[in-house]
Amino acid sequence: MNIPFNKPFLTGNETNYIKEAVASGKISGNGEFTKKCQHFFEEKYGFKKCLLTTSCTDALEMAAMLCNIQAGDEVIVPSYTFVSTALAFVRAGAKIVFADSMTNNPNMDAEKIESLITERTKVIIPMHYAGIACDMDTIMDIADKHNLLVVEDAAQAIDSYYKKKPLGSIGHLSAFSFHETKNIISGEGGMLVINDDKFIRRAEILWEKGTNRAEFFRGEVNKYGWVDIGSSFLPSEVIAAFLWAQLEQLEQIQAKRIKLWNTYHELLAPIAEAGAFSLPNIPEYATNNAHMFYLVCPNLEERTRLISTLKSEGILAVFHYLSLHSSPYYQNKHDGRTLPNCDHYADCLVRLPLFYELEEKDVIKICDTIKNVYN
Ligand SMILES: *Cc1c(COP(=O)(O)O)cnc(C)c1O
C-alpha cells in the first residue's frame, strides 16, 4: 500500500458549478461565482474587502504595489517560507531583510523584529506557518510604533485564528492561496484581503489592468480608462466556480483534517515525550487549522533516516523549505547574518501525509511505522 503526501480533494460539485459558469455565457473574471466567493469570506471572517486572484503570489504582488514599494525599500520577511513571500517584493525593487524563526516554532520571531528596522523599512510580512498564527499583537505594535505596513502571508492559514481574530483580518493586507496543496483549493488560485479602507479603491484598479472598470460597472463613473499600473490579476469564473464548490464544504473539510491531525498528535505524543522528535507547538494565542502535521527531528541524519524508513514502507513524508537567505538567488544579496533557527527547521522538519481522503487507519499505520524507527 502506498500513501502519498497529498491528494487534492474534490467535493463532487466542482464540475457542476463549472458547467453552470460556462453555460451562463460569462466566463471571464469578476462574475457571479467570483462575487459569491468574495462575499463568503467577507461575511464569515469579517475581511473588509476580498479580491480573488490567480494565485497567492499574485495577491502578494498586488500587496507590494499597494505598499508602494520603491527600489531600496526594506521589507522584513521570514527566511523559513515559500519563495513568493519574498519574491513578490523583490520584483518591486525591495531589499529583503530576513527574520529568523522562533526556537520552538518556525514562525518569525516577533521579539527580534525591532532590531531589523531601519529608516528604509516599509513592511513586515509575517507568514503563519502550518496555519498557526504569528504573534500578531507584538508585530502590529511594532508596525504602529514605526509607522510600517503589515502584509500577512496567510497562504496556509484559512479558517485559523489569533486570539479569536481570523488570520488574514489583522494586517493591513493579507494573501491567501487555493493551490492544490492547501486546505481549500481551486488548482491554482488565491485572494487578496484588504483590511485598511485606504487601499480598496487602488486594489480594484490594479486588479483590473490599471483601469477603473469596477467603478464604472457600479455606475460611479460614466466611462472607464487607464488610470494606474496593474495587471491581469483576476481569475476566470471557471476557477471561481471550482472554489465555490470547495467553500460550500469548508466546515466538513476542516473537521476531517482536524480529526486526522489529532490522531497523529495523540499517537505520536509518547514518542515525542521520549525525546525522539518534537511535535508542533501551538501557542495559547493560536488555533490549529490542520493545514499540516510536522515533526522536528534532532538533526538532519535522523530526519533522513525517518524519511527513508517511511519511504521503504510506501509512505511519502517530505521536508520543507530551504532557508531563503542562503538560496542561490539571494545569498549574495543577504546581509550575512546567520539565522540558526531557520536553518534548523530547513534541516530537521518533516511533514507527514495529511489530506481529506486519508483514513484513520492510514494514520495509525504511519504512526506504527514511526514507532518502529525508534524502538
Ligand atoms: C502556497 C504558498 C504560497 C504561494 O501560493 P500560490 O497560490 O501557489 O502562489 C505563498 N506563500 C506560502 C507561505 C505558501 O504556503
Side-chain angles (χ1 to χ4, degrees), residues 54-60 81-85 127-129 153-156 175-182 187-191 291-292 320-321:
T54 50
S55 65
C56 177
T57 306
D58 264 1
L60 289 165
T81 184
F82 188 62
V83 176
S84 301
T85 321
M127 189 278 272
H128 308 294
Y129 187 75
D153 182 340
Q156 306 174 8
F176 284 89
S177 175
F178 308 118
H179 184 266
E180 73 165 31
T181 51
K182 308 300 200 259
E188 301 280 354
M191 180 170 74
H291 171 59
M292 188 194 298
H320 210 182
Y321 304 126

Side-chain angles (χ1 to χ4, degrees), residues 180-209:
E180 73 165 31
T181 51
K182 308 300 200 259
N183 293 26
I184 296 293
I185 62 175
S186 62
E188 301 280 354
M191 180 170 74
L192 177 72
V193 174
I194 303 119
N195 294 313
D196 186 328
D197 288 326
K198 73 169 179 280
F199 293 117
I200 292 177
R201 177 171 183 265
R202 185 155 191 247
E204 285 185 330
I205 290 168
L206 301 179
W207 193 54
E208 294 251 40
K209 301 122 191 154

Side-chain angles (χ1 to χ4, degrees), residues 23-40:
S24 78
K26 163 76 182 163
I27 323 170
S28 63
N30 202 8
E32 285 311 307
F33 280 107
T34 299
K35 292 192 174 96
K36 267 163 98 154
C37 292
Q38 292 175 174
H39 284 153
F40 175 94

Side-chain angles (χ1 to χ4, degrees), residues 4 35 82 150 181 207 216 226 229 247 250 259 274 282 300-301 331 341 372-373:
K35 292 192 174 96
F82 188 62
V150 174
T181 51
W207 193 54
F216 174 72
W226 186 12
I229 58 166
L247 291 178
L250 180 126
K259 188 155 180 285
I282 301 176
L300 178 59
E301 294 69 35
Q331 60 179 351
N341 295 336
N372 287 335
V373 175

